[in-house]
Amino acid sequence: SGSFGTFVGFQAGFQNTSASYGTFVGAFAGAQNERGDDNTFVGFRTGEQNTSGSECVAAGAYAMRYNASGNASVAVGYAAGERCIDGSFNTMIGALSGQDNRSGSYNTMAGYKSGRSAFQGNYNTYFGAYAGYSNYHGDANCFIGYRSGESLSDGNLNIAIGAYSMAFASQGDSNIAIG
């Protein structure tokens, strides 16, 4: 059975059977965690459906709510990384950042709704509100600035720096836009 767990809130850590070193604070926080070790979930329904993901930190209502097996990710903000299921090694900071990231890994998203629809993309960096908002499955993109790369749904190896840079492009690979 699990060891050294701290569970505070209605059904927090409710199904914990063998996980250790978890801290779950808030109603339903980590409620379905069975085997995931070293997790910290703070907020209403935060990490609620995590079953085996380990070394995750989520703070904010609904943050990483549907994570099942993703490891070593950080989500801070309302619904940040909410629907991340098995993506690992992600950092999502800001309300709704990375909200629909299902299986993408090694992504960094910071800003309101940054990378919100990044469903499968890997190795992306988004900084700024709405940066990379629609990048459904693009890899290795770097979008820095308000709404940079916002509409790009399918593109790889792009760099966009500055407010609205590449904001209206829907597809494209290996582009550089500054300003």
Side-chain angles (χ1 to χ4, degrees), residues 10-11 22 25 39 41 48 75 78 94 105 108 117 119 150 152 156 164 171 173:
F10 181 73
Q11 291 192 355
V25 179
N39 291 308
F41 298 134
E48 178 181 12
Y78 172 79
S105 295
T108 301
S117 299
F119 192 75
E150 178 181 15
L152 190 73
N156 303 299
Y164 298 100
Q171 296 180 349
D173 294 329

Side-chain angles (χ1 to χ4, degrees), residues 42 46 58-64 75-82 92-97:
V42 179
T46 299
Y62 304 102
M64 290 186 73
V76 178
Y78 172 79
E82 179 182 19
M92 300 159 283
I93 300 172
L96 303 165
S97 64

Side-chain angles (χ1 to χ4, degrees), residues 96-159:
L96 303 165
S97 64
Q99 184 184 23
D100 288 328
N101 181 32
R102 299 289 201 283
S103 59
S105 295
Y106 301 99
N107 295 298
T108 301
M109 306 168 195
Y112 176 70
K113 291 189 178 182
S114 60
R116 184 187 177 278
S117 299
F119 192 75
Q120 300 171 329
N122 299 300
Y123 320 110
N124 294 296
T125 303
Y126 307 135
F127 283 102
Y130 301 97
Y133 178 93
S134 300
N135 195 15
Y136 184 73
H137 53 69
D139 293 331
N141 292 294
C142 180
F143 300 139
I144 300 172
Y146 178 72
R147 295 192 183 271
S148 63
E150 178 181 15
S151 299
L152 190 73
S153 61
D154 185 12
N156 303 299
L157 304 164
N158 293 296
I159 298 171

Side-chain angles (χ1 to χ4, degrees), residues 1-2 10 18 30 32 44 58 75 79 98 106 125 132 154 166 168:
S1 66
F10 181 73
S18 62
Q32 295 181 26
F44 179 69
Y106 301 99
T125 303
D154 185 12
M166 289 186 70
F168 303 106

